[in-house]
Amino acid sequence: MGHVDLQHVTYSLPDDRRLLDDVSFRVGDGARAALVGANGAGKTTLLTIVSGDRQPDTGSVVRSGGLGVMRQFVGSLRDRSTVRDLLVSVAPPAVRAAAEKVERAELALMETDDEPTQLRYAHALAEWGDAGGYEAEVLWDVCTTEALGLAFTTARWREVTTLSGGEQKRLALEALLRGPDEVLLLDEPDNYLDVPAKRWLEEQLRTTAKTVLYVSHDRELLAATATSVVTVELGAAGNSVWVHGGGFAAYHQARRARFERLEELRRRWDEEHDKLKALVLRLRQKAAYNDGMAGAYQAACTRLERFEQAGPPQALPLQQDVQMRLAGGRTGKRAVVCEALELTDLTAPFDVEIWYGERVAVLGPNGSGKSHFLRLLAAGGSDPEPDQRPVEDLVIAPVAHHGRARLGARVRPGWFAQTHEHPELVGRTLLDILWRGDEHRDGLGREQAARVLDRYELAVAAEQPFETLSGGQQARLQILLLELSGATLLLLDEPTDNLDLVSAEALEEGLAGFAGTVVAVTHDRWFARSFDRYLVFGADGLVAESDEPVWDTAVSGVNIP
C-alpha cells in the first residue's frame, strides 16, 4: 500500500507570485482523494509537486509505494508517438529507462550492424527483461485488448493520433489501474471519456486497493468515487487547501458550514478586538488623572498586544463569483431543421426540428457523429445564407453528408469546442483580445474589458497570453467571446470538460437566461439534466429523440416522440 503526505508546502511562480501557501494534507492507504478548485488555482501544479516534476519552495512531500502518473495532456496527444510510447510513458521508472536503452540500441543497430553494436543491443534486451519489460508487454496486451479491441502486437506501432481522446485516456487508465504502482496521480482522468467509459472508471476507482489522488470536474464521478475532497482555496497571499473528510454528497453543505464558521470566528475576534481597544482607551484616560489606574492600564495594553500578536482567525478564502451573461436574440420559430440528414459513414438518415429557445443535449458514444453534427450546424448548415455564417473567424472543415440541414431566420451560430485551435489568439493578452475586437464584436475600452474579465474570474490573467492559460481559463474566455459576439444559436461541444465546479454551475445559470437556442454535446450527466430534450446518436448509426438522457451505446429501446 502507499500514501501521500504534504506538509507546509509553498510554491511561487516564475514572476515571484505565491501560488501555493502552506499546503498540508494526507492521502492515506487505499483512499481516493479528489482534488478540486478554481481553474488556474494550482491543482495541476500541486500534482506535479507530488510527482516530483516540480520542487516546492519550502515544505516536504513524502510518498510510499510506487507512483503512477497520468498527466492532463493524455487524450489530446497530437505528436508522432505510438501506442507503445504511451504505455511506456505510464510504466514504472525502471521499465521506462530500459525501454529508452532498447530504443537507442535499435537505432544504433540500424546505422551500424557490427559486433559491438549487436552486443550493446543484446545487453539492452537483457536489461529490459531484468526491469520487467516482458511482463509489462503481457500487461499491455490486456490493456490494448480492453481499450482498443486489438492485441498489443497489432496496436503497438499505431500512432496515437489515430486514437480518439477517449481511447487514449482509456488505454493509459487501463495500464495504470492494472499496473504495479500503489499510488496513482490522475489529472482529469474522465476528460474525453463517454458515459459508458466514465461508468467503467467509476467502478475501477471504487474497487481499486490503490491510493488515488485525482483532479476531476465531473460531479457524478466525484459523488460516486471520492472518499475525501481536497479543495484548493483562493487566497490573496497564495492558495491553500481545505480537506473535507467525507464524500462529495455532503461537500457543498460542509463547505457552506465552513464559511459560516469562519465568518462567525472573525466576527467574534473583531468584537473582542474592539472591546480591548475601548478598554485601553478608557483606562488611559483614567490613568491620566489617577496614578492608581496605571497598573490596570499597563495590563490592558499588554493584553491587547498579545491578542493582536496572536492575530485574527483564518481569513475567509476568496470565493469565485463567475457571472456569464449570455444574451442571444429573437430568431425564427424553427431554429434548426434537418431533413433526411445522413452523416456519411456515421449515421443513418434522420429528421429533427429544434425550435427557438429549446435546450437540446446531443448524447451518444465517442465516434457516433455528435461533433460532426455540431460542426455542420456551426458552418451554417448544408447551404448557409450569408447571415447564417458563424460569429467567429473559424475555418470549419466540411462535413460529408447527404440530405439537408438548415438554420432558421436570424439564426447566427456560435461554436464552442475544447479542441479548437485559436492561432489568432496565440501571443495576445486577454485585454488585447477584448480591446481590439473583430468583425463580429466591438472592441472594449480597457476599463470595460477589465470589468468583463472580472465577471468571468479572469481579471488575474488579464495580462497573460492566451496560450499560458489553464484549460478551464481558456474555456471561460471562449464562452466570454461568444457572449460578446451576438450568437443566437449556441453550439457547445463538451463545454464543461475543463470548467471547475463553480464555472460549470455559472454556465448552467447563464444558459438558463440565454434568449436563444442551445444545442450541446455532452457526457456530463449532471449538466445534461438541465436540458429540455435529448438527441441520441447510437453506436449502430441510428439517431433518435428522447425526453430523458440515454447513456447506453445503442439507441434500441429509445421511445421516439
Side-chain angles (χ1 to χ4, degrees):
M1 300 293 286
H3 70 270
V4 174
D5 193 354
L6 281 77
Q7 292 296 325
H8 307 297
V9 165
T10 64
Y11 181 80
S12 298
L13 298 170
D15 60 5
D16 291 330
R17 282 186 296 127
R18 178 68 59 84
L19 178 63
L20 300 172
D21 182 57
D22 196 24
V23 169
S24 298
F25 67 90
R26 187 178 193 276
V27 185
D29 292 346
R32 301 181 301 274
L35 187 60
V36 303
N39 297 130
K43 300 186 297 296
T44 294
T45 299
L46 198 48
L47 286 188
T48 60
I49 290 173
V50 175
S51 68
D53 294 341
R54 280 191 176 98
Q55 294 301 313
D57 300 335
T58 62
S60 64
V61 180
V62 177
R63 301 187 309 266
S64 69
L67 181 69
V69 181
M70 187 176 74
R71 292 172 174 80
Q72 193 177 48
F73 60 77
V74 175
S76 58
L77 292 168
R78 298 291 181 267
D79 55 23
R80 299 295 301 276
S81 60
T82 64
V83 164
R84 182 180 183 275
D85 294 332
L86 175 55
L87 290 168
V88 167
S89 73
V90 295
V95 174
R96 293 202 303 271
E100 291 176 6
K101 288 185 178 180
V102 170
E103 185 175 355
R104 287 197 300 269
E106 286 175 342
L107 290 173
L109 195 61
M110 291 170 63
E111 295 178 359
T112 308
D113 189 7
D114 57 13
E115 186 175 347
T117 308
Q118 291 173 358
L119 287 173
R120 283 194 295 272
Y121 178 57
H123 183 67
L125 289 178
E127 289 191 11
W128 172 250
D130 293 340
Y134 295 113
E135 290 83 355
E137 290 182 347
V138 173
L139 170 67
W140 295 344
D141 185 66
V142 176
C143 296
T144 57
T145 301
E146 291 293 327
L148 309 177
L150 298 171
F152 177 64
T153 52
T154 303
R156 65 186 301 169
W157 303 123
R158 182 174 170 180
E159 292 188 1
V160 291
T161 53
T162 66
L163 306 181
S164 69
E167 287 173 326
Q168 291 182 24
K169 286 278 190 183
R170 176 69 183 266
L171 185 60
L173 286 167
E174 288 277 4
L176 287 166
L177 288 163
R178 295 176 182 274
D181 293 319
E182 295 97 339
V183 178
L184 300 183
L185 305 180
L186 309 178
D187 199 347
E188 302 192 9
D190 53 285
N191 272 14
Y192 302 103
L193 296 183
D194 57 22
V195 170
K198 288 189 179 192
R199 287 175 171 165
W200 167 85
L201 175 59
E202 289 170 4
E203 181 61 21
Q204 296 301 310
L205 290 177
R206 275 197 299 264
T207 57
T208 185
K210 298 176 185 292
T211 301
V212 186
L213 176 62
Y214 64 100
V215 174
S216 177
H217 306 305
D218 187 303
R219 290 163 283 185
E220 291 278 351
L221 184 136
L222 291 171
T225 62
T227 57
S228 64
V229 183
V230 181
T231 305
V232 182
E233 296 186 322
L234 302 176
N239 303 332
S240 57
V241 302
W242 167 66
V243 179
H244 168 57
F248 188 70
Y251 170 74
H252 285 89
Q253 181 180 350
R255 188 156 169 77
R256 282 193 299 271
R258 166 177 161 75
F259 274 82
E260 290 170 1
R261 185 171 64 256
L262 291 176
E263 288 174 346
E264 175 65 15
L265 290 173
R266 182 62 197 230
R267 184 187 65 77
R268 292 180 182 179
W269 189 91
D270 288 339
E271 286 180 354
E272 184 66 17
H273 193 209
D274 290 340
K275 288 179 182 178
L276 288 175
K277 288 192 295 184
L279 176 63
V280 168
L281 178 61
R282 187 166 63 252
L283 292 176
R284 184 175 63 188
Q285 291 170 345
K286 290 183 178 181
Y289 57 82
N290 184 349
D291 291 342
M293 300 298 295
Y297 169 61
Q298 287 299 326
C301 288
T302 301
R303 184 179 171 191
L304 176 62
E305 182 180 356
R306 289 175 178 171
F307 184 84
E308 290 178 338
Q309 284 178 348
Q314 179 182 342
L316 198 67
L318 301 176
Q319 297 192 63
Q320 288 177 271
D321 185 22
V322 179
Q323 300 175 37
M324 301 182 181
R325 299 172 184 168
L326 300 163
R330 185 73 201 186
T331 69
K333 289 184 178 180
R334 289 180 175 84
V336 177
V337 178
C338 298
E339 299 165 319
L341 178 63
E342 177 185 356
L343 303 178
T344 304
D345 297 327
L346 291 169
T347 72
F350 66 95
D351 299 334
V352 69
E353 287 186 340
I354 299 174
W355 297 78
Y356 167 77
E358 278 196 308
R359 273 68 174 141
V360 177
V362 182
L363 312 179
N366 291 331
S368 58
K370 306 184 302 297
S371 294
H372 286 72
F373 175 61
L374 234 61
R375 200 167 79 229
L376 176 60
L377 299 184
S382 302
D383 187 20
E385 299 292 333
D387 63 350
Q388 294 174 332
R389 297 287 182 182
V391 295
E392 299 174 281
D393 294 320
L394 296 172
V395 178
I396 300 177
V399 177
H401 67 282
H402 301 288
R404 190 179 183 202
R406 56 188 174 88
L407 305 185
R410 299 181 299 283
V411 173
R412 292 296 303 276
W415 186 35
F416 169 94
Q418 298 281 10
T419 54
H420 276 176
E421 293 184 0
H422 288 274
E424 77 282 3
L425 302 181
V426 172
R428 298 171 61 190
T429 67
L430 307 196
L431 281 176
D432 178 65
I433 291 168
L434 296 181
W435 174 65
R436 291 182 183 275
D438 57 33
E439 61 179 285
H440 305 292
R441 56 181 175 80
D442 296 331
L444 302 178
R446 188 178 183 89
E447 184 177 341
Q448 186 181 3
R451 287 200 301 269
V452 170
L453 289 173
D454 190 53
R455 277 201 293 109
Y456 277 73
E457 292 279 335
L458 290 171
V460 68
E463 299 289 354
Q464 287 182 226
F466 172 79
E467 65 275 15
T468 67
L469 302 180
S470 72
Q473 288 172 318
Q474 289 188 9
R476 289 208 303 271
L477 178 68
Q478 291 176 58
I479 295 170
L480 168 57
L481 296 180
L482 285 180
E483 174 186 311
L484 300 173
S485 68
T488 56
L489 169 64
L490 295 182
L491 302 169
L492 310 176
D493 199 344
E494 302 287 3
T496 61
D497 255 14
N498 283 321
L499 293 181
D500 58 55
L501 302 179
V502 171
S503 299
E505 291 166 0
L507 175 61
E508 291 172 4
E509 292 178 7
L511 293 179
F514 175 66
T517 308
V518 180
V519 181
V521 169
T522 186
H523 293 123
D524 185 334
R525 290 156 287 176
W526 203 291
F527 178 62
R529 293 180 192 145
S530 63
F531 283 74
D532 301 325
R533 60 191 178 101
Y534 306 89
L535 194 61
V536 185
F537 282 59
D540 53 7
L542 298 180
V543 179
E545 297 180 52
S546 173
D547 293 330
E548 300 291 336
V550 177
W551 301 112
D552 295 332
T553 57
V555 165
S556 55
V558 173
N559 294 317
I560 303 177

